[in-house]
Amino acid sequence: MTPMTRHTTLSLSAITAQARRVRLISLSLGALIGIGATAYLPQAHAAAATEPTGIKAPAKPVGPSVKERKERRAKTAKKAVIVGGAAAAAIETKLAPLPEASHEQIAAAQHVLIGKYECEFKKSVLVDRNDANPGYVNLTEGRQVWVMKPVVSSTGTIRLEDTRGEALMLQIATKSMLMNVKTGQRMVDGCMHEVQRVAMEEMSRNPKPSVFNLDGNKAAAPTAP
C-alpha cells in the first residue's frame, strides 16, 4: 500500500467516526427535547384551562323548571274552573224566579242595610238588592250566595231568611249575625254595617238610662223601722 492510499483510508475512518459522534449527539439532544416537552405540555394545558379567557359561560336559566310551570298552569286552570263554576251558580241563584213579594216583605226590604258588613276573624258579608226579584236581597259570604227574604219580627229585628231554608241573618241596631239553619251553628258573627257602627258609637257616648231608674234619681235608702 502506498503512503497516499494509507492516508486516504485513515481520513475516511476519521470522517465516519466523527459522523457517528455527531449523529449520537443529535439523537441525545432530540431525546432530551422530547422529554422536556412531555413534561411541559400538561402543565401548559392545565394553566390554559384555569386562566380566565374573558368569555363568560352561558348563565343557567333562573326560574321555575318546565315541570313546575306545567303544574302551575294546571293549578291555575283548575282554580279558574272552580271560580267560574261558583260564579255561574251565583248568577243562576240571583236570577232564579221567586214568588212575588208581599207588601209587608217589600216594606221590610226597605229596612235592610245594603252594602258590606265587616265581621269577626276578618270575614265579611255583602248584601245587595236582587234586581230580578223585587223585595228580595242577595247575601254573599265567601263563595256562597243566597237569595234572602226580608221579614220584620215583633221585636223590630230584621230577619233575612234564605229562600232555600239554609241560612238566616239577623240584623239588629248595632250588629248582625249569619247562621246555618240546618246545623244550628253560627257562620259569621259580629258583623257590622257602617250604619250599625255609627249606632254603636252613639250608644257608647250616650248610654240609655236603666229601666230600673227611669227618672234619673238615685234610689232612696230604706229607713229604719
Side-chain angles (χ1 to χ4, degrees):
M1 181 179 297
T2 61
M4 184 175 295
T5 303
R6 183 179 180 183
H7 179 71
T8 303
T9 303
L10 292 175
S11 299
L12 291 174
S13 299
I15 291 172
T16 302
Q18 186 176 3
R20 290 178 178 175
R21 286 195 297 272
V22 171
R23 184 180 179 184
L24 181 61
I25 292 172
S26 299
L27 291 175
S28 300
L29 290 175
L32 292 175
I33 293 173
I35 294 172
T38 303
Y40 173 75
L41 284 177
Q43 298 177 359
H45 180 71
T50 56
E51 183 178 358
T53 58
I55 302 175
K56 295 182 179 180
K60 294 183 179 180
V62 179
S65 63
V66 176
K67 182 179 179 181
E68 291 176 344
R69 288 197 295 268
K70 288 183 178 180
E71 291 178 352
R72 288 184 182 180
R73 285 196 294 268
K75 290 181 180 179
T76 303
K78 184 177 180 181
K79 184 177 181 180
V81 171
I82 294 174
V83 174
I91 294 174
E92 183 179 358
T93 300
K94 293 178 181 180
L95 298 180
L98 298 171
E100 184 177 356
S102 62
H103 295 290
E104 292 79 6
Q105 181 178 339
I106 293 176
Q110 301 301 321
H111 298 281
V112 177
L113 298 177
I114 302 299
K116 186 177 182 181
Y117 293 70
E118 298 291 343
C119 309
E120 293 180 346
F121 308 110
K122 298 183 179 180
K123 293 184 177 182
S124 63
V125 171
L126 180 64
V127 176
D128 62 330
R129 304 288 183 189
N130 190 309
D131 298 330
N133 300 280
Y136 293 85
V137 296
N138 306 318
L139 192 150
T140 304
E141 194 276 319
R143 295 181 180 176
Q144 302 184 77
V145 179
W146 300 274
V147 176
M148 313 296 280
K149 174 184 176 181
V151 177
V152 178
S153 66
S154 58
T155 60
T157 302
I158 303 296
R159 294 168 56 93
L160 301 182
E161 300 176 353
D162 179 20
T163 55
R164 295 174 299 181
E166 180 182 357
L168 171 66
M169 184 171 181
L170 301 177
Q171 173 191 309
I172 61 176
T174 56
K175 71 174 184 176
S176 299
M177 176 183 64
L178 180 62
M179 296 182 60
N180 188 315
V181 178
K182 293 183 178 180
T183 61
Q185 296 178 346
R186 298 182 183 182
M187 300 174 65
V188 285
D189 198 359
C191 302
M192 297 183 67
H193 188 274
E194 184 61 28
V195 175
Q196 293 173 319
R197 191 180 305 279
V198 173
M200 174 67 77
E201 294 175 355
E202 181 65 24
M203 289 182 63
S204 299
R205 289 193 297 265
N206 302 307
K208 293 182 178 181
S210 173
V211 296
F212 299 102
N213 189 18
L214 297 179
D215 57 357
N217 298 325
K218 294 183 179 181
T223 58

